[in-house]
Amino acid sequence: MSATWQECASALADEVTHAQSRWREAVRATPRHLFVPRWWEREESGPRLVDGPSDPAGWMRAAYRDTSLVTRLGTLHADRAEPGDRPEGAPSSSATLPSLVVQMFRHVRPDEGMDVLDVGTGSGYSSALLCHRFGAHRVTSVDVDPYLTEAARERLAEVGHRPEVATLDATGNLPGSTYDRIVAMVSVPRVPAAWLTALRPGGRLVCTITGTGMVIGADKTADGGAAGRVEPHQAGFMGVRHGADYPPRLLARFPHARDEDGEEVTVGRYPVLDVDRAWDVKTQLFLAVPGVETHYEEAEQGERRTAWLLHADGSWARAEARRDDPPTVHQGGPRRLWNTLERIRHLFNTQGSLGVYGFPVRIAPDGVCHIAWGDWAVTLE
């Protein structure tokens, strides 16, 4: 006999919360499967649409695993797709893995009687957990995507929650209300000034910085800014969108970087690295070169590996090698991006760590973040 959703949700709660967690009952009581009836899975041949109701047992297994389920590729949401569709876009919405949702809530520290803004409605699951704990009248959720907000509003109502759900670009002006807590389930290149304006005195915000693994937790200060730290926990969310889809990736805009010779061709010191999988290296690379994009591909069953670094100023680098051999590195544009990456990797090898976790953060009222520790400092503008 297949397990009921209540049994599956209880097992999920046991996995992602501890016995005394105040979020335990919210996870147990929330039917996550109703928020993700369809999703995309990656296969070698491309994305495959999965319809939960057509395989109830598989739906329960997928919905109550501690994993993210991609619900939107490019501009095509799984809810609106046909079985034969093969969208080519990058993931643009998902149901975030529950343990990360709970972790973000722990960082933002909400309590009874507080008004909470959930940035990045997505599937609506995170809002459902908030509603269960604090009541829907305390929860506001926003997303730039009108379909996501419409679907989430309906699914939240189906399980008895009716929070305010608004369609808007969260980096711009927010609804007229102010909030005690702001938690973002999307990443931002810097803290939007509008969030600081909407945060009440004594309020707290938590968000991740695009291109890094950093979680910033900060409390509002008297000058209208905020102060806190880089939390001792890594996380990655999709970047905030400002429209129906993300802008084209730089590799598509700079096709010459894919296979043409660079202005400078050298042999790299270290093997080709998939930077997106190396949290500390990726974070330090973004802090050194804000806005840098990474891309990685494997061919010949992983025997041949290629990595790209690109920046909107026209800088690019491509490193190619077989397995762990020293790569051939092509670079062009005003900066030598691969040289920067290799300096960071050398520091990692010699120091054993690149983490900025626990470092103090000060956020100015305009959203500019200053991170400093000893002689080391960086500003995110």
Side-chain angles (χ1 to χ4, degrees), residues 248-264:
R249 299 280 293 175
L250 291 176
L251 190 57
R253 291 167 54 189
F254 304 157
H256 56 278
R258 178 164 283 280
D259 52 23
E260 292 183 10
D261 289 343
E263 300 163 11
E264 179 181 296

Side-chain angles (χ1 to χ4, degrees), residues 24-242:
R24 195 176 187 83
E25 186 54 36
V27 176
R28 277 182 173 166
T30 301
R32 187 178 185 235
H33 67 288
L34 295 183
F35 293 90
V36 199
R38 305 178 105 199
W39 64 95
W40 298 103
E41 288 189 353
R42 288 284 186 184
E43 297 182 339
E44 287 189 15
S45 59
R48 177 177 68 90
L49 180 66
V50 183
D51 180 73
S54 66
D55 177 12
W59 190 13
M60 294 300 107
R61 286 193 300 272
Y64 296 97
R65 286 200 313 265
D66 186 29
T67 189
S68 293
L69 297 175
V70 174
T71 54
R72 193 175 186 271
L73 290 174
T75 59
L76 184 58
H77 198 287
D79 289 352
R80 295 175 160 181
E82 299 295 332
D85 287 337
R86 295 289 186 270
E88 296 182 354
S92 52
S93 189
S94 69
T96 302
L97 66 161
S99 62
L100 179 53
V101 173
V102 170
Q103 188 66 54
M104 294 296 283
F105 290 161
R106 287 173 179 155
H107 288 314
V108 83
R109 305 171 196 162
D111 211 341
E112 308 300 328
M114 291 184 174
D115 294 315
V116 183
L117 176 65
D118 177 25
V119 179
T121 304
S123 69
Y125 178 73
S126 58
S127 293
L129 297 182
L130 289 168
C131 289
H132 185 274
R133 271 210 61 193
F134 304 115
H137 65 293
R138 293 291 185 187
V139 179
T140 300
S141 186
V142 298
D143 202 294
V144 73
D145 191 310
Y147 177 72
L148 294 179
T149 54
E150 176 191 357
R153 190 180 294 110
E154 293 175 356
R155 289 162 185 168
L156 285 161
E158 186 177 349
V159 299
H161 303 311
R162 289 176 173 80
E164 180 180 353
V165 182
T167 305
L168 52 83
D169 183 340
T171 63
N173 292 328
L174 294 172
S177 301
T178 56
Y179 307 93
D180 301 290
R181 296 291 186 266
I182 298 176
V183 59
M185 301 297 172
V186 292
S187 66
V188 289
R190 74 172 197 176
V191 176
W195 296 6
L196 295 163
T197 300
L199 198 62
R200 292 173 183 160
R204 180 173 176 81
L205 64 83
V206 170
C207 65
T208 55
I209 302 299
T210 304
T212 78
M214 293 192 303
V215 180
I216 301 292
D219 302 306
K220 187 151 185 179
T221 50
D223 65 355
R229 66 172 181 168
V230 181
E231 298 290 348
H233 175 249
Q234 297 171 332
F237 285 95
M238 294 177 188
V240 66
R241 283 191 285 121
H242 304 289

Side-chain angles (χ1 to χ4, degrees), residues 8-19:
C8 293
S10 182
L12 178 63
D14 291 343
E15 180 180 357
V16 304
T17 66
H18 59 80

Side-chain angles (χ1 to χ4, degrees), residues 267-278:
V267 176
R269 182 175 184 178
Y270 299 108
V272 174
L273 176 71
D274 182 356
V275 176
D276 283 339
R277 293 181 177 273

